[in-house]
């Protein structure tokens, strides 16, 4: 009677979740918001700590594998927590009346930026309407006329006095386009002609010259007095204009100051605005022209007189609840730091402070900015500028060309905005390590690491939390709710992704994609909810879409093009199992592994390694099995063995040590001459002590071999031998489980090479006895005997060779060696 070997119990082949264990109806109950955050205690605690540290250098790096929901978890937790924090102030840029090329930055209470913008717009419009009216009034005209008449009287008195003095001296005061001139007078009171002047005696001419010089001095003094009068007139006129303008401006400004009495920066700005208006009151005296309903044209610089009184609201937090949480998916320099736009006018470009646009740093100031590390590093300019901004604690809006000296043109240099933002970078742990080691500023900037796990323990609490996450996701994405049995199937799929019945995946992207696809099939069925059938269909269809290569490989195996035997026994041949990956899909593929032996000192040779078709880990596995052979069989004799191992029909790279136990089994078969059952495939790595160690992809390997056996016909003898420590990783398809239940397929757990070889050969392995031999009738005795025989043959061959060399020396004594 054949010995019955230990098999994996059916209940351990697959873990099914009872929908009743969820404890509530998932189609009706919605979990509290805090339950919608996945169980990532380590990461959440780190994020909380980073948010609590107000120092700008305590930024957060959320590290985790792809699909673990890095950005989703960061955003979900940050948004929930940030709502309880104070709302940051509004940010505005205004005209700098002292340095026009450097716009001033104003900080206002949240929501007051737009209020200031609207108030200033109304203020300027009112001045444009009121000031021309005041200056057109009769009262102003009378006062202006009085000032003007006083100046004219004063000037006339000076000119009359000078004219009388010239007349007394025999001269006439004349006016021309170049000013006043003094000329000698004739007897008839008319200016003396050149002919008359030339006929005068020399003494008379000299007298006239002296008088003319004296009068010229008096005329210069008179001109000075007139100019003083003009200056006094202008001063009085300006004072009059200021008094009249102040009547309008002051009243309106008082209203504004009362409106913004709590905003100190704004009150200082109002003082500068008032001073500039009074200084440029003539700009307001013109009545605004009626706007024609023509197509709008770009406004040239000369027509922007009143734009300097505009307010550019850079950031408006009027509708922000708590601290802002900004996620920037394209962190280019302008998107992060803002930009200064330009407007074209007949081929020329111009700009002003109203064209300053904010970046993500401005929007997140006072809150949190979430960036993907890899996206940020693609823009090295952004990365370097961001480090500089954190160091200087200010946001500078600069032109890229000017920043790096590519070109220098006149542009604006806005006043830097104080930076108070908490950066949250998300990325791969390996990327974190690279930055930590090679970027000296990185450890100083990102002092908090929030490391996300890829899986969580399969506990009742975590199952319920997983159901809550699904419920929240369905609400956020507008999907149908999932029934309890549907949630249970998704959680089972979560275990399949981890390859461990005791773990649930935290790769949220996989779960969310599955829910979206199941929602599609629920929509096709016109169902109100997503149930387990929809989830199962989504899983099967997803696998079908990605399994073209798997089908092609199986087709080649089924046609015996890839030769795999699933019945009978053979010496030196066994079916190994490998995993093939195509990016979005992985599947198991059986491989024939063969071994041949011969007399020699070559040891175990891996043909794939010699052909450079194997990796370092696979080579290590071959070296380990060689060590195992020496420990078991070279304790009383040298190994005189040359053996070769080969993955038959393998045309690509082979790596990993999951076939090392398989190669050891086939090598023991070749040495002993004991055949191995071809219906049992093998996987598992081996240690030097003969322990069968766990490997990855055990579920897919079993399913891959099962499909081949099912095609060739299940005979009840076929199965797969796996490491015992991989039993918890089994999440087999239901058709495989049913075949095991019916005894048509078997799964054997083994922990040592001795257990495995007994299953494959049906012969007891045997234990080493005190005399250094193995018991008769055991497989190891056959191996030991064969190796002993080969060692003796090697010894005899070596002795014969030495005798032959001695004979050759006797026949040729003069020949040196």
């Amino acid at each position: 009677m054949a010995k019955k070997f230990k098999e994996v119990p059916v209940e351990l082949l697959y873990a099914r979740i009872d929908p009743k264990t969820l404890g509530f109806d998932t189609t009706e109950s919605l979990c509290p918001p805090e339950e919608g955050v996945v169980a990532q205690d380590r990461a959440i605690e780190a994020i909380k700590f980073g948010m609590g540290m107000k120092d700008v250098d305590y930024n957060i790096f959320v590290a985790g594998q792809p699909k673990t929901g890095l950005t989703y978890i960061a955003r979900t937790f940050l948004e929930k927590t940030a709502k309880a924090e104070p709302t940051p102030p509004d940010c505005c840029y205004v005209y700098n009346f002292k340095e026009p090329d450097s716009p001033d930055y104003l900080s206002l209470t949240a929501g007051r930026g737009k209020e200031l913008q609207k108030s200033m717009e109304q203020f300027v419009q009112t001045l444009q309407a009121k000031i021309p009216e005041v200056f057109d009034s009769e009262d102003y005209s009378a006062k202006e006329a009085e000032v003007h008449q006083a100046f004219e009287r004063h000037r006339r008195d000076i000119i009359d006095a000078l004219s009388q003095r010239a007349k007394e001296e025999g001269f006439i005061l004349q006016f021309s386009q170049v000013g006043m001139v003094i000329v000698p007078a004739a007897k008839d009171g008319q200016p003396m002609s050149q002919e008359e002047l030339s006929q005068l005696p020399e003494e008379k001419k000299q007298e006239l010259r002296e008088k003319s010089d004296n009068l010229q001095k008096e005329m210069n003094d008179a001109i000075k007095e007139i100019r003083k009068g003009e200056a006094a007139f202008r001063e009085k006129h300006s004072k009059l204009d200021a008094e009249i303008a102040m009547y309008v401006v002051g009243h309106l400004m008082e209203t504004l100051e009362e409106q913004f009495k709590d905003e100190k920066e704004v009150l200082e700005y109002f003082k500068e605005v008032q001073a500039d208006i009074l200084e440029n009151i003539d700009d307001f005296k013109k009545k605004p022209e009626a706007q024609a309903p023509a197509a709008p044209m770009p406004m040239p610089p000369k027509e922007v007189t009143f734009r300097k009184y505009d307010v550019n609201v850079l950031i408006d937090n009027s509708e922000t609840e708590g601290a802002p949480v900004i996620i920037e998916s394209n962190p280019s320099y302008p998107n992060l730091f803002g930009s200064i736009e330009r407007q074209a006018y007949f081929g020329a470009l111009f700009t002003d402070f109203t064209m300053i646009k904010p970046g993500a740093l401005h929007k997140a100031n006072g809150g949190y900015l979430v960036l993907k590390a890899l996206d940020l590093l693609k823009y090295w300019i952004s990365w370097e500028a961001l480090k500089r901004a954190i160091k200087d604690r200010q946001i500078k809006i600069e032109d890229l060309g000017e920043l790096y000296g590519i070109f220098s043109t006149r542009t604006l240099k806005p006043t830097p905005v104080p930076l108070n933002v908490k950066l949250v970078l998300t990325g791969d742990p390996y990327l974190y390590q690279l930055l930590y080691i090679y970027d000296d500023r990185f450890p100083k900037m990102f002092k908090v690491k929030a490391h996300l796990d890829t899986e969580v323990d399969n506990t009742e609490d975590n199952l319920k939390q997983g159901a809550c996450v699904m419920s929240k996701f369905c609400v956020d994405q507008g999907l149908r709710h999932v029934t309890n049995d549907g949630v249970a199937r998704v959680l089972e799929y979560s275990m399949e992704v981890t390859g461990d019945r005791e773990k649930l995946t935290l790769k949220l992207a996989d779960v969310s994609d599955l829910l979206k696809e199941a929602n599609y099939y629920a929509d096709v069925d016109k169902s109100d909810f997503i149930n387990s059938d929809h989830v199962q269909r989504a899983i099967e269809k997803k696998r079908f879409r990605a399994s073209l290569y798997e089908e092609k490989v199986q087709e080649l195996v089924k046609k015996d093009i890839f030769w795999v035997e699933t019945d009978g026994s053979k010496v030196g041949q066994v079916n190994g199992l490998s995993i093939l990956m195509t990016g979005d899909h992985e599947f198991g593929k059986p491989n024939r592994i063969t071994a041949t032996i011969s007399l020699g000192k070559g040891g175990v040779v891996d043909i794939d390694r010699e052909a450079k078709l194997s990796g370092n880990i696979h080579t290590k596995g071959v070296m380990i099995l060689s060590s195992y052979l020496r420990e078991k069989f070279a304790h009383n004799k040298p190994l005189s063995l040359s053996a070769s191992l080969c993955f038959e029909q393998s045309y690509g790279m082979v790596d990993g040590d999951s076939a090392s136990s398989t190669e050891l089994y086939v090598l023991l078969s070749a040495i002993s001459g004991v055949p191995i059952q071809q219906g049992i495939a093998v996987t598992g790595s081996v240690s030097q002590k003969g322990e069968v160690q766990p490997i990855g992809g055990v579920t897919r390997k079993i399913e891959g071999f099962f499909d081949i056996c099912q095609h060739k016909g299940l005979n009840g003898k076929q199965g797969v031998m796996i490491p015992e420590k991989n039993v918890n990783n089994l999440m087999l398809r239901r058709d495989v489980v049913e075949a095991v239940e019916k005894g048509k397929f078997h799964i054997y757990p083994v922990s040592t090479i001795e257990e495995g070889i007994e299953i494959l050969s049906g012969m007891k392995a045997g234990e080493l006895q005190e005399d250094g031999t193995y018991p008769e009738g055991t497989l190891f005795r056959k191996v030991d005997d064969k190796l002993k025989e080969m060692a003796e043959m090697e010894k005899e061959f070596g002795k014969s060779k030495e005798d032959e060399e001695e004979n050759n020396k006797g026949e040729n004594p003069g020949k040196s060696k």
Side-chain angles (χ1 to χ4, degrees):
M1 183 176 178
K3 179 180 178 182
K4 187 170 179 63
F5 298 102
K6 181 177 70 172
E7 297 186 36
V8 178
V10 174
E11 60 271 16
L12 297 182
L13 298 178
Y14 192 88
R16 289 186 174 84
I17 295 175
D18 186 354
K20 295 179 181 179
T21 59
L22 299 177
F24 61 93
D25 186 352
T26 56
T27 63
E28 296 179 358
S29 300
L30 289 177
C31 304
E34 61 271 14
E35 296 297 328
V37 180
V38 183
Q40 291 276 11
D41 296 338
R42 186 192 309 273
I44 295 301
E45 182 180 346
I47 294 175
K48 283 183 179 179
F49 173 75
M51 294 176 69
M53 294 295 293
K54 300 305 179 184
D55 193 307
V56 73
D57 289 333
Y58 276 82
N59 297 296
I60 305 166
F61 192 103
V62 183
Q65 297 295 332
K67 297 185 178 182
T68 52
L70 296 170
T71 304
Y72 171 78
I73 291 175
R75 181 188 63 198
T76 301
F77 185 78
L78 290 173
E79 287 178 347
K80 178 172 69 73
T81 308
K83 288 181 179 179
E85 298 184 11
T87 304
D90 288 353
C91 172
C92 301
Y93 269 114
V94 294
Y95 186 77
N96 188 337
F97 297 98
K98 297 177 181 178
E99 297 182 32
D101 289 342
S102 180
D104 273 333
Y105 157 78
L106 294 182
S107 177
L108 296 87
T109 305
R112 305 212 71 186
K114 282 191 172 181
E115 183 182 348
L116 175 63
Q117 184 186 51
K118 186 176 181 181
S119 297
M120 283 299 298
E121 184 179 349
Q122 293 175 346
F123 171 70
V124 173
Q125 289 176 352
T126 303
L127 290 181
Q128 285 182 283
K130 293 292 185 181
I131 289 179
E133 292 180 3
V134 172
F135 282 95
D136 286 344
S137 65
E138 294 181 359
D139 183 48
Y140 171 76
S141 298
K143 291 181 179 180
E144 183 186 31
E146 182 179 344
V147 172
H148 189 268
Q149 288 171 4
F151 166 69
E152 288 295 330
R153 284 196 300 270
H154 179 63
R155 186 177 65 171
R156 192 164 48 251
D157 290 343
I158 294 174
I159 293 175
D160 289 347
L162 181 61
S163 179
Q164 182 62 35
R165 181 78 180 89
K167 187 176 180 181
E168 291 174 355
E169 295 293 334
F171 286 83
I172 298 175
L173 181 64
Q174 286 187 333
F175 296 90
S176 67
Q177 293 180 349
V178 296
M180 294 184 296
V181 293
I182 296 176
V183 297
K187 294 182 178 180
D188 57 359
Q190 296 298 319
M192 186 179 294
S193 65
Q194 288 294 329
E195 184 179 352
E196 292 175 333
L197 187 61
S198 62
Q199 294 177 357
L200 292 175
E202 190 63 33
E203 295 81 1
K204 188 64 175 177
K205 290 181 181 178
Q206 183 62 30
E207 181 182 354
L208 288 176
R209 287 194 192 96
E210 293 177 356
K211 290 182 179 181
S212 176
D213 290 342
N214 292 332
L215 288 174
Q216 191 68 39
K217 293 179 181 178
E218 292 182 15
M219 186 180 69
N220 291 337
D221 292 339
I223 291 174
K224 290 179 181 180
E225 283 296 320
I226 292 173
R227 288 176 178 172
K228 287 181 181 179
E230 288 178 347
F233 165 72
R234 285 194 297 270
E235 184 178 351
K236 288 181 180 180
H237 194 275
S238 297
K239 186 176 181 180
L240 174 64
D241 286 354
E243 289 176 356
I244 298 298
M246 195 63 186
Y247 173 77
V248 179
V249 176
H251 176 70
L252 294 176
M253 190 59 73
E254 286 177 2
T255 304
L256 283 178
E257 289 174 347
E258 178 63 26
Q259 183 180 354
F260 294 93
K261 61 183 179 181
D262 297 328
E263 308 290 344
K264 293 183 179 179
E265 294 182 13
V266 177
L267 294 178
E268 290 297 321
Y269 169 66
F270 284 160
K271 291 179 182 179
E272 296 179 2
V273 169
Q274 179 172 305
D276 187 78
I277 291 174
L278 296 178
E279 185 178 346
N280 298 281
I281 195 66
D282 290 339
D283 294 336
F284 288 88
K285 291 181 180 180
K286 304 173 184 177
K287 292 184 178 180
E289 300 178 1
Q291 296 291 333
M297 289 184 63
M299 187 179 295
K302 294 182 180 180
E303 296 180 12
V304 293
T305 305
F306 301 108
R307 289 179 72 174
K308 61 182 176 181
Y309 304 115
D310 289 349
V311 175
N312 180 7
V313 181
L314 202 68
I315 298 298
D316 174 33
N317 287 316
S318 58
E319 298 181 1
T320 304
E321 182 181 352
V325 178
I326 303 299
I327 299 176
E328 179 55 61
S329 59
N330 181 27
S332 62
Y333 184 87
N335 287 353
L336 276 184
F337 290 88
S339 59
I340 303 173
E341 296 182 348
R342 290 171 173 80
Q343 193 171 356
Y345 182 74
F346 294 116
L349 297 175
F350 74 96
T351 187
D352 60 31
F353 72 97
T354 63
M355 299 183 193
I356 300 174
K357 301 302 177 183
L361 280 173
H362 297 95
K363 298 173 185 177
N365 209 9
Y368 304 89
L369 176 60
V370 182
L371 302 169
K372 288 186 178 180
L374 191 58
D375 291 342
L376 178 60
L377 293 175
K378 291 177 182 177
Y379 299 96
W380 64 270
I381 293 178
S382 298
W383 174 237
E384 292 299 323
L386 186 61
K387 291 190 292 184
R388 186 165 55 251
I390 294 175
K391 179 183 177 182
D392 299 339
R393 302 193 181 189
Q394 61 183 12
I395 311 170
K396 287 184 179 179
I397 302 179
E398 299 178 280
D399 190 283
L400 275 177
E402 184 180 10
L403 179 64
Y404 287 93
I406 300 175
F407 56 84
S408 180
T409 58
R410 184 178 178 182
T411 184
L412 298 179
K413 294 184 178 180
T415 303
V417 178
L419 177 63
N420 178 28
V421 68
K422 187 72 69 175
L423 284 179
V424 180
L425 285 188
T426 64
D428 189 273
Y430 181 63
L431 185 58
Y432 174 86
Q433 295 172 19
L434 289 176
L435 290 171
Y436 195 93
I437 295 171
Y438 294 108
D439 193 322
D440 60 337
R441 283 293 306 164
F442 182 80
K444 301 174 184 178
M445 292 166 43
F446 292 89
K447 297 183 178 181
V448 181
K449 180 183 179 183
H451 206 151
L452 296 183
D453 202 349
T454 57
E455 56 191 28
V456 68
D457 291 338
N458 182 3
T459 64
E460 186 174 339
D461 288 341
N462 286 336
L463 289 175
K464 290 180 179 179
Q465 193 172 20
C468 288
V469 171
M470 283 183 246
S471 177
K472 184 178 186 300
F473 179 80
C474 290
V475 173
D476 293 344
Q477 298 294 321
L479 306 179
R480 293 169 173 80
H481 277 293
V482 190
T483 61
N484 284 45
D485 64 332
V487 170
R489 184 64 189 96
V490 174
L491 293 173
E492 291 170 0
Y493 174 77
S494 175
M495 289 186 281
E496 292 176 11
V497 172
T498 64
D500 191 337
R501 289 183 291 106
E502 296 180 353
K503 297 289 183 179
L504 297 172
T505 185
L506 289 179
K507 291 187 176 180
L508 302 183
D510 289 337
V511 177
S512 64
D513 289 345
L514 179 61
L515 288 174
K516 291 176 183 177
E517 293 168 19
N519 184 72
Y520 167 78
Y521 292 112
D523 184 56
V524 172
D525 291 347
K526 308 298 181 185
S527 175
D528 294 333
F529 302 106
I530 300 171
N531 58 40
S532 60
D533 291 337
H534 301 133
V535 176
Q536 182 62 30
R537 198 188 313 174
I539 294 172
E540 292 173 354
K541 292 296 184 181
K542 182 176 183 178
R543 192 167 293 165
F544 172 75
R545 292 193 298 270
S547 62
L548 178 61
Y549 286 123
E550 180 179 6
E551 291 181 4
K552 294 295 184 183
V553 170
Q554 288 183 353
E555 182 181 353
L556 293 174
V557 175
K558 292 171 183 178
K559 292 180 177 180
D560 284 335
I561 297 175
F562 280 170
W563 189 6
V564 177
E565 298 185 33
T566 60
D567 196 12
S569 299
K570 277 195 174 183
V571 175
Q573 177 175 301
V574 70
N575 287 322
L577 297 173
S578 61
I579 287 288
L580 296 183
M581 304 183 69
T582 59
D584 59 341
H585 183 63
E586 63 177 29
F587 59 95
K589 174 184 176 293
N591 292 89
R592 243 179 353 119
I593 300 176
T594 60
T596 61
I597 64 167
S598 62
L599 187 65
K601 294 287 187 179
V604 180
V605 176
D606 177 17
I607 292 178
D608 294 286
R609 180 193 175 209
E610 297 300 318
K612 297 182 179 179
L613 288 175
S614 68
N616 294 332
I617 298 176
H618 180 259
T619 301
K620 176 186 175 184
V622 174
M623 295 171 70
I624 288 174
L625 68 87
S626 299
S627 299
Y628 175 83
L629 286 177
R630 285 194 294 270
E631 182 182 28
K632 287 291 184 181
F633 305 107
H635 53 279
N636 56 8
K637 59 187 173 298
L639 288 182
S640 301
L641 173 71
S642 288
S644 61
L645 296 170
C646 180
F647 272 70
E648 302 292 351
Q649 294 184 291
S650 173
Y651 307 108
M653 285 295 295
V654 176
D655 203 2
D657 62 352
S658 65
S660 58
S661 67
T662 313
E663 292 171 318
L664 182 52
Y665 293 135
V666 74
L667 189 57
L668 291 173
S669 171
I671 297 172
S672 66
V674 176
I676 288 177
Q677 294 186 49
Q678 299 301 295
I680 299 178
V682 183
T683 186
S685 68
V686 67
S687 70
Q688 291 190 106
K689 298 297 184 180
E691 302 155 330
V692 179
Q693 302 170 141
I695 42 81
V698 63
T699 296
R700 297 288 173 258
K701 290 178 178 179
I702 294 173
E703 291 173 347
F705 188 66
F706 173 81
D707 290 337
I708 301 302
C709 293
Q710 189 176 44
H711 172 74
K712 295 195 172 186
L714 295 172
N715 56 20
K717 298 179 182 179
Q718 296 143 334
V720 176
M721 197 162 64
I722 66 171
E724 188 168 19
K725 292 185 178 181
N726 277 122
V727 171
N728 284 336
N729 303 125
L730 293 177
M731 295 288 295
L732 295 172
R733 294 196 317 251
R734 301 188 181 188
D735 58 338
V736 182
V737 176
E738 291 173 1
V740 173
E741 285 179 325
K742 296 176 182 179
K744 295 182 177 180
F745 198 74
H746 307 274
I747 299 176
Y748 303 102
V750 296
S751 56
T752 63
I753 289 296
E754 289 78 6
E755 293 177 16
I757 198 64
E758 289 180 5
I759 294 172
L760 290 172
S761 65
M763 180 180 292
K764 191 172 180 61
E767 294 182 5
L768 188 65
Q769 302 177 114
E770 292 182 1
D771 61 356
T773 63
Y774 289 92
E776 288 286 345
T778 62
L779 188 138
F780 281 4
R781 179 58 178 263
K782 289 180 175 292
V783 173
D784 195 44
D785 290 346
K786 181 65 176 179
L787 292 175
K788 188 179 296 184
E789 179 186 344
M790 296 176 75
E792 291 174 354
M793 291 174 65
E794 174 68 23
K795 183 178 180 181
E796 289 297 326
F797 177 77
K799 186 176 181 182
S800 299
K801 190 173 181 181
E802 289 178 2
D803 292 342
E804 184 179 348
E805 289 178 353
E806 288 295 329
N807 292 333
N808 290 336
K809 286 182 180 179
E811 294 175 0
N812 302 287
K815 186 177 180 180
S816 61
K817 187 176 178 178

